[in-house]
Amino acid sequence: MPPRQSATLTEAELRIMDVLWRKGSGTVQQVLDWLPSALAYNSVLTTIRILEKKGYVEHTKDGRAFIYKPVIGRDEATRSEIRHLLGRFFRNSHEALVLNILQDKAIDTEELKRLREMLERSQVK
């Protein structure tokens, strides 16, 4: 039985999407060249095809080459990942997610200050 396809972006898929979001579009070879780590051409091609099946990228044909471009922007993908995390770990409770973040000892004073300011601005609207 083949492994189940992840509903969210895997690490490999996210690396490729990061490249496509930065560059706009490219062939498999261009994406491979733009990636910081060395990967096999077939690995990049397979991952891009999976991204296409998931609806994250689409291709157009340019001669013999396929040019891949993102269909979903980084912001939309981020919101989708957060909704998935929210449902999976926090029973769709935004409050539980925020409380979990606030309880993290790694948050510094400046981050907390910015969060307070954002909350205050959102209450004014």
Side-chain angles (χ1 to χ4, degrees):
M1 174 186 290
R4 189 174 62 87
Q5 199 174 63
S6 171
T8 60
L9 291 172
T10 66
E11 284 301 314
E13 292 166 353
L14 182 57
R15 282 194 304 269
I16 288 172
M17 287 304 297
D18 278 336
V19 167
L20 290 172
W21 284 324
R22 270 194 336 269
K23 300 294 187 176
S25 65
T27 64
V28 173
Q29 186 59 55
Q30 287 170 326
V31 170
L32 181 61
D33 293 343
W34 294 327
L35 285 168
S37 57
L39 292 172
Y41 180 93
N42 284 340
S43 297
V44 174
L45 175 61
T46 299
T47 304
I48 288 176
R49 285 182 176 162
I50 291 168
L51 285 166
E52 195 166 24
K53 283 181 191 171
K54 286 183 172 185
Y56 281 89
V57 300
E58 66 183 12
H59 75 269
T60 56
K61 199 164 175 157
D62 183 17
R64 292 181 54 206
F66 282 7
I67 309 295
Y68 294 92
K69 70 174 187 176
V71 175
I72 294 176
R74 183 186 300 271
D75 289 344
E76 186 179 343
T78 299
R79 282 189 298 277
S80 175
E81 293 284 333
I82 290 171
R83 281 191 302 272
H84 182 74
L85 175 75
L86 199 62
R88 187 162 181 218
F89 290 99
F90 300 99
R91 295 187 178 98
N92 291 318
S93 169
H94 292 81
E95 179 183 10
L97 172 63
V98 171
L99 288 173
N100 187 278
I101 292 168
L102 292 174
Q103 291 169 349
D104 189 344
K105 303 292 186 236
I107 291 184
D108 65 23
T109 307
E110 281 303 308
E111 285 179 310
L112 282 173
K113 181 181 173 188
R114 285 192 303 275
L115 286 170
R116 277 190 198 99
E117 290 169 358
M118 289 172 69
L119 284 170
E120 287 170 7
R121 281 194 305 267
S122 71
Q123 288 177 344
V124 172
K125 294 179 181 179

